[in-house]
Amino acid sequence: MNFFKRAIRSVTRQKSKSLILFAVIFLLGNILAGSVIIQQATQNVEKTTKEQMGALATVDIDWNDPKIQKEMEKSNGALNNSLSVKLIEKIGASPYVKNYDYSESSGFESQQLKPFDPSGSKKNKTEEKVDDKSGMANGMDTYIPIRGVQDPKIMDIALGKIKLVEGAIFSQADIKKGTLVVLVSKEFASKNGLHVGDEMTIDQTLMTPGNMDEENQASTKESFDTKVKVVGTYQVLETVQKKSGKSDKADNGSVVHAASIGSGGGDQDMLDFATYNTIYMPNKAVHTINQGYMKYVMEKSPELFTGMSEKDLKEASESRYTPLYQLKSIDDLDKFKADAKPLVPKPYAIMASTDEFDKIAGQFNKLSKIAKVVIIAAISLSIILILLVILLFMRDRKRELGIYLSLGDKKSTIILQIMVEVLTVASVALVISLVSGKFLGGFASEAFLSSSSSQDAANGMMGGNMMSTSALFGSGTPMNAKSISENYTVSFTPFYIVTYLLAGLGTVIVSVLLSTLYIFKLKPKKILLG
């Protein structure tokens, strides 16, 4: 009878020992399977979330950095040197960059234009005070942002954030000359009765300490007016995703900035407001409006510039661009940062859309670390326990093994027989624990995340309630701990099955090989005579 048949008969004949071995491997397998699937789930949630955040980077001042805050305090809030176009383009020439643009931004409080409220919430009329002339509810954000563009294709269109629905985008000539043309959302246009080809007035209200404290005098405030032409309207594609769970976004380069917003939804409403009310213009046109408004304010309220040096005034009149780089892959972010860091002057820093992940996904990082430790511990413990069980069984079968050796069987054949016996039992135990371990991992991770969230709430932590600097672009939906949790799923995948079975079988094989040291010490003559 060959060793394989002997091994199968041994498993079926010695049922009690086979059941003991099965129980040991099954219990250890559950721990290992649960840890492996948790580790896989935490890796998947990080990958999925970062892909949603987009492979984006910018060069800006990190106002959340305590060192930067202290430096700015020492300089009494002095203006920092702006980034040059040459430097922005040099960084954009990186082999990791797919597309980039830079913007000069502005914004204004309008008395004529009515912003669109994307929240759509119906407020109590008894609590809502509305200015008939401005059409804006009391307490509602009325700041209309203006974003300059240098690339005629418009970065937000290329990223799949918005799409043109009527009219045309800016021409190269518009960008070069700084033509006073604008692109607005279809909701904003509808709210103000605007159509493609219409003339629109950007009325920048003169804000002074005197009129900012006055209530009910919006109609008497002075403003700096600029006539612009509406050349196109855009649709915000985020609405499709929010309402139907689907998106018109391009698969490559989805834009969800890592702004960690609390669950209250207030900051989300602010970002939505900015997204729907952003006015796109050529950079030169934005600069023209900014300088015109600055001269207007200097004439009307010169006291606001008291104490400013000629250098400060000169710096204030310069174009201040903020770049946005779309990388070829999410995996290129660290490489891009390393290459561009030596080029960036202080106090600027390179910030990526995924920088906030570790801050708002701390509980998942903790879970991942725990899973790694448990995997190592489970494998080590499994090797030791399975080894001890095999050695115990072989001591009981010493006479049987001695007979095989005395009949001419090689020690290698005995080792193969033991290997087949253990692997037969182990295979059944591992397959069953593959399923039960999945549920164990799901239960354990759910319990951990629930307790972690409760503890954070008890400590006053909102799981990332700080606005990310990348959200300054207003180029996407903020990402918070809740939305990351939605990406966390414990499920069967080929990677989980293969990884677990390889780890489990590898552990068993190592245990059997270590046990062979006992077989090599066996001396058949001594065993039979004893």
Side-chain angles (χ1 to χ4, degrees), residues 341-354:
K341 187 176 181 180
L343 304 175
V344 178
K346 292 184 178 180
Y348 288 93
I350 301 170
M351 293 172 283
S353 55
T354 59

Side-chain angles (χ1 to χ4, degrees), residues 261-336:
I261 307 300
S263 59
D267 292 330
Q268 172 68 69
D269 290 341
M270 290 173 60
L271 283 179
D272 286 344
F273 178 90
T275 301
Y276 281 90
N277 293 286
T278 294
I279 297 174
Y280 294 87
M281 297 182 69
N283 272 328
K284 281 191 176 181
V286 177
H287 185 69
T288 299
I289 290 177
N290 286 342
Q291 293 311 298
Y293 179 69
M294 183 177 174
K295 291 178 181 178
Y296 176 77
V297 175
M298 291 179 70
E299 292 175 2
K300 295 291 183 179
S301 302
E303 68 277 3
L304 295 177
F305 297 88
T306 303
M308 291 185 67
S309 64
E310 291 186 7
K311 181 182 178 182
D312 292 337
L313 292 172
K314 183 179 179 182
E315 288 180 348
S317 64
E318 293 177 352
S319 293
R320 305 185 69 79
Y321 297 119
T322 304
L324 179 63
Y325 300 96
Q326 180 191 15
L327 306 189
K328 296 176 181 177
S329 169
I330 196 75
D331 298 325
D332 292 334
L333 281 171
D334 290 337
K335 300 173 186 176
F336 172 77

Side-chain angles (χ1 to χ4, degrees), residues 10 301 323 335 339 483:
S10 178
S301 302
K335 300 173 186 176
D339 284 358
S483 55

Side-chain angles (χ1 to χ4, degrees), residues 24-34 382 429-430 433-434 436-437 500:
V24 171
I25 296 176
F26 176 74
L27 291 175
L28 295 172
N30 273 281
I31 298 174
L32 182 59
S382 297
L430 290 175
S433 61
L434 180 71
S436 57
Y500 168 65

Side-chain angles (χ1 to χ4, degrees), residues 283-450:
N283 272 328
K284 281 191 176 181
V286 177
H287 185 69
T288 299
I289 290 177
N290 286 342
Q291 293 311 298
Y293 179 69
M294 183 177 174
K295 291 178 181 178
Y296 176 77
V297 175
M298 291 179 70
E299 292 175 2
K300 295 291 183 179
S301 302
E303 68 277 3
L304 295 177
F305 297 88
T306 303
M308 291 185 67
S309 64
E310 291 186 7
K311 181 182 178 182
D312 292 337
L313 292 172
K314 183 179 179 182
E315 288 180 348
S317 64
E318 293 177 352
S319 293
R320 305 185 69 79
Y321 297 119
T322 304
L324 179 63
Y325 300 96
Q326 180 191 15
L327 306 189
K328 296 176 181 177
S329 169
I330 196 75
D331 298 325
D332 292 334
L333 281 171
D334 290 337
K335 300 173 186 176
F336 172 77
K337 280 185 172 183
D339 284 358
K341 187 176 181 180
L343 304 175
V344 178
K346 292 184 178 180
Y348 288 93
I350 301 170
M351 293 172 283
S353 55
T354 59
D355 286 347
E356 293 295 306
F357 179 83
D358 290 335
K359 295 180 182 179
I360 56 180
Q363 55 187 351
F364 296 100
N365 292 332
K366 290 178 185 177
L367 188 59
S368 178
K369 291 178 181 178
I370 292 173
K372 287 180 182 177
V373 172
V374 174
I375 288 173
I376 295 172
I379 290 176
S380 302
L381 185 62
S382 297
I383 291 174
I384 294 172
L385 291 180
I386 295 173
L387 173 61
L388 291 176
V389 171
I390 294 173
L391 288 175
L392 181 62
F393 290 169
M394 284 197 297
R395 283 178 64 87
D396 291 342
R397 298 170 60 188
K398 188 194 314 185
R399 188 170 182 80
E400 175 190 345
L401 298 178
I403 293 173
Y404 292 149
L405 292 172
S406 65
L407 292 175
D409 277 356
K410 296 180 180 178
K411 290 184 177 180
S412 59
T413 303
I414 304 298
I415 293 172
L416 287 175
Q417 178 182 334
I418 301 298
M419 183 76 75
V420 172
E421 290 178 14
V422 176
L423 286 178
T424 300
V425 176
S427 298
V428 178
L430 290 175
V431 170
I432 297 176
S433 61
L434 180 71
V435 179
S436 57
K438 183 256 185 184
F439 294 104
L440 177 64
F443 176 78
S445 58
E446 183 179 349
F448 174 83
L449 294 174
S450 297

